[in-house]
Amino acid sequence: MPSRNIFDTEHQIFRESVRKFLAEEVTPFHDQWEKDGVVPREVWNKAAKAGLLLPTISVQYGGSGADFRFGAILTEEIGYSSSSGLGIPLHNDIVAPYIEAYGSEELKRNWLPKMASAEAIGAICMTEPGTGSDLQGVKTSAQEDGDHFIINGQKTFITNGQNADIMIVVAKTDPKKGARGTSLILVESTREGFSRGRNLDKIGLKAQDTSELFFQDVRVPKSNLIGEVNQGFVYLMEQLPRERLLSALRAMATVEAALEWTVSYTKEREAFGSKIFDFQNTKFKLAEVRANAVVGRVFIDRCIELLLDNNLDIETAAIAKLWASEVQGKAVDECLQLFGGYGYMREFPIARLFTDARINRIYAGSSEVMKLIISRHL
Ligand SMILES: Cc1cc2nc3c(=O)[nH]c(=O)nc-3n(C[C@H](O)[C@H](O)[C@H](O)COP(=O)(O)OP(=O)(O)OC[C@H]3O[C@@H](n4cnc5c(N)ncnc54)[C@H](O)[C@@H]3O)c2cc1C
């Protein structure tokens, strides 16, 4: 099997520290957080102290100035450990990069150090009750009023929605222009007119606070605009490949975790006088999962290299997200089957992985949207 050659010693050291953090501070408490529907703030503080927040953001803004591989490792380790409640990858590798890449010096200095210390947890608000896949249909408006924007609208399915202190809100600044009239605006949760709705009851990712958010005449200064007015769609298109690669990375990590757990379970469990593993059906199913895991890993690692070179294009990222999330869905289902009835019990990690994995074919752009993107390049 080809060994992974994209990581150096410093990455391996970081991986060990993430693994230790998850084993000590996350895994033992995850069951409770699943019942609570949210990860406590204290864990974010501990993650900050352990140096796990904003690894890829410049040192001058409170980050560690490291490369994307550190973010990738964090996402992978969260995937291996099935710590699905942690919205840290979104905070680190999706929200913060928008502020660093396009935000004013003032926004960067104000918010990135606070995000690194967990004083400010971030969220990104694209989806609305009426539109998700088609972001051109966003209805939330940001009307100019002197030095301010007045924001009105509703967002839903927002990760970190209950914990978030700052949100990047996708809003129409010029509704007549469609996508070309879209802007990204940073909104603090302390603004008058902002309120949180329900922490949504999901079939998986139980410990993640996925929420409705409301904006009613929320006045924010124009200095909260991220980048240029009406350029929001361009920024989204530039950043979405990174988000999709993170989804693919998470998917491949969970495939590897499912495989490992299933091999070990089937080597213990017996039926008809044999280990479940010894049935040819089991070996063939697991061989397929293994083949997909190995082939997928090579492609996804290549995507990491492309991203490091600023060359990960929208089509390649869509291919990675589509392929990895579809493989993940099938692999986790096949693995669960080999656990028999125990696979259906939430106390078995494979059961959670099954329900947690389902969303990967839907969020960050559904499989159908990935196919649309790919087919545009045919
Ligand atoms: C747990 C969770 C966390 C999330 N986190 C966030 C977040 O942090 N921030 C955020 O903004 N959003 C978030 N989302 C929202 C997520 O990105 C959207 O749910 C997703 O983009 C799909 O949008 P939709 O739900 O409106 O489905 P729709 O757009 O209504 O799609 C319904 C179905 O139609 C298909 N479809 C749509 N258009 C086409 C087409 N042209 N051709 C063929 N098929 C099509 C879709 O693939 C899907 O199968 C999250 C969602 C969940 C469930």
Side-chain angles (χ1 to χ4, degrees):
M1 169 168 148
S3 59
R4 299 184 77 183
N5 57 6
I6 62 165
F7 297 113
D8 303 328
T9 312
E10 53 183 353
H11 298 110
Q12 302 303 352
I13 294 168
F14 182 71
R15 190 183 288 282
E16 287 310 316
S17 72
V18 175
R19 221 168 255 185
K20 185 166 178 289
F21 177 81
L22 294 172
E24 288 173 2
E25 306 291 353
V26 175
T27 311
F29 312 104
H30 208 270
D31 277 358
Q32 185 56 46
W33 302 342
E34 295 206 356
K35 288 181 189 125
D36 300 341
V38 65
V39 168
R41 187 108 200 174
E42 190 197 344
V43 183
W44 286 84
N45 297 336
K46 286 181 179 168
K49 285 207 182 81
L52 304 186
L53 299 189
L54 270 49
T56 64
I57 298 297
S58 313
V59 175
Q60 57 173 321
Y61 301 122
S64 310
D67 65 65
F68 176 74
R69 285 171 288 185
F70 287 82
I73 287 169
L74 193 53
T75 294
E76 283 182 2
E77 289 301 322
I78 288 175
Y80 294 137
S81 68
S82 213
S83 320
S84 58
L86 292 181
I88 292 177
L90 178 122
H91 169 91
N92 282 354
D93 278 302
I94 298 174
V95 180
Y98 277 105
I99 300 174
E100 184 171 50
Y102 312 110
S104 64
E105 197 53 31
E106 184 194 338
L107 283 182
K108 289 193 257 195
R109 292 211 177 276
N110 265 350
W111 292 111
L112 292 173
K114 292 191 178 108
M115 289 180 78
S117 64
E119 225 179 300
I121 294 176
I124 180 144
C125 309
M126 299 180 255
T127 309
E128 300 182 353
T131 195
S133 302
D134 180 12
L135 288 179
Q136 301 188 41
V138 160
K139 290 269 185 298
T140 297
S141 62
Q143 262 188 328
E144 292 192 38
D145 182 28
D147 291 343
H148 286 76
F149 287 111
I150 302 179
I151 302 182
N152 277 290
Q154 182 182 344
K155 298 288 179 181
T156 194
F157 304 152
I158 305 305
T159 304
N160 295 340
Q162 295 295 313
N163 270 329
D165 303 289
I166 55 169
M167 290 144 286
I168 297 179
V169 176
V170 177
K172 287 276 169 66
T173 27
D174 192 344
K176 289 190 296 297
K177 288 194 185 153
R180 290 199 184 87
T182 307
S183 301
L184 306 185
I185 301 172
L186 188 148
V187 180
E188 302 89 336
S189 62
T190 47
R191 295 265 166 205
E192 203 174 315
F194 166 75
S195 59
R196 301 178 209 266
R198 286 177 302 151
N199 188 9
L200 299 162
D201 185 16
K202 307 183 292 296
I203 62 169
L205 303 183
K206 290 274 187 192
Q208 206 168 92
D209 50 322
T210 310
S211 311
E212 300 172 316
L213 302 176
F214 302 97
F215 302 84
Q216 194 178 359
D217 292 327
V218 180
R219 279 176 77 80
V220 292
K222 280 191 173 161
S223 53
N224 276 23
L225 180 70
I226 296 180
E228 304 281 319
V229 75
N230 293 337
Q231 289 300 302
F233 221 78
V234 175
Y235 303 151
L236 289 170
M237 291 307 114
E238 285 172 0
Q239 295 295 320
L240 280 171
R242 183 186 180 107
E243 180 173 355
R244 290 176 180 149
L245 177 55
L246 287 165
S247 278
L249 276 164
R250 176 82 161 257
M252 294 322 296
T254 60
V255 170
E256 286 167 11
L259 180 63
E260 197 182 311
W261 301 338
T262 313
V263 168
S264 119
Y265 180 80
T266 54
K267 283 187 172 175
E268 292 292 323
R269 179 90 176 163
E270 292 186 358
F272 298 96
S274 310
K275 301 286 184 202
I276 303 287
F277 182 80
D278 290 330
F279 298 128
Q280 192 188 49
N281 176 65
T282 306
K283 289 184 185 165
F284 280 14
K285 291 287 184 205
L286 293 177
E288 273 176 33
V289 174
R290 168 94 161 147
N292 278 328
V294 172
V295 171
R297 178 56 74 204
V298 175
F299 179 66
I300 306 297
D301 278 357
R302 177 73 191 121
C303 289
I304 294 178
E305 287 175 330
L306 288 170
L307 190 118
L308 289 168
D309 290 344
N310 280 328
N311 264 334
L312 182 67
D313 60 82
I314 197 153
E315 185 199 7
T316 308
I319 291 172
K321 159 83 170 51
L322 170 67
W323 191 87
S325 57
E326 292 291 332
V327 160
Q328 175 194 28
K330 188 158 180 274
V332 171
D333 183 45
E334 299 281 20
C335 286
L336 183 150
Q337 184 72 12
L338 295 171
F339 277 76
Y342 294 98
Y344 202 66
M345 300 298 129
R346 279 189 71 79
E347 65 192 89
F348 276 70
I350 192 72
R352 290 182 202 183
L353 206 60
F354 176 76
T355 48
D356 290 348
R358 187 61 186 84
I359 188 56
N360 222 11
R361 288 159 58 202
I362 299 172
Y363 68 7
S366 67
S367 286
E368 291 74 25
V369 169
M370 296 305 100
K371 288 178 194 172
L372 269 181
I373 293 170
I374 298 161
S375 61
R376 282 187 198 129
H377 294 82
L378 294 175

